[in-house]
Amino acid sequence: MKNTSVTRCSICHDAIQTQHVFSENDQVYLKIDSVEIASEKTFEDQWSPINFQWISDFELRKNFINQSNQ
């Protein structure tokens, strides 16, 4: 299985690429590609932490409004 999967947008029909992620204790993890872990001969999913900062909906909307007013 590949780390990214491709889905078609139902509105614009463009390809949308997705990745497997999960969060735990305010840390976000990205699933490592199975090709990379196949050489280690393990069948468990392996996850790598990534830099990611959560932004609230309120703050995101406020930033969009500020950018559109400039």
Side-chain angles (χ1 to χ4, degrees):
M1 179 163 77
K2 222 175 168 190
N3 198 14
T4 58
S5 59
V6 177
T7 307
R8 297 283 176 188
C9 174
S10 63
I11 298 170
C12 62
H13 304 291
D14 289 341
I16 300 171
Q17 293 189 348
T18 60
Q19 294 181 313
H20 298 279
V21 297
F22 85 94
S23 66
E24 182 177 73
N25 298 329
D26 294 328
Q27 175 65 57
V28 178
Y29 296 87
L30 181 67
K31 187 174 181 182
I32 298 175
D33 193 355
S34 61
V35 172
E36 295 174 22
I37 62 173
S39 61
E40 298 177 20
K41 299 190 188 242
T42 180
F43 296 103
E44 295 179 7
D45 291 338
Q46 293 193 7
W47 301 85
S48 176
I50 61 170
N51 291 330
F52 184 85
Q53 181 179 7
W54 295 104
I55 300 175
S56 70
D57 289 345
F58 175 76
E59 189 173 334
L60 186 61
R61 288 180 189 156
K62 188 173 84 175
N63 289 339
F64 282 140
I65 292 169
N66 288 340
Q67 287 179 1
S68 64
N69 289 337
Q70 292 179 356

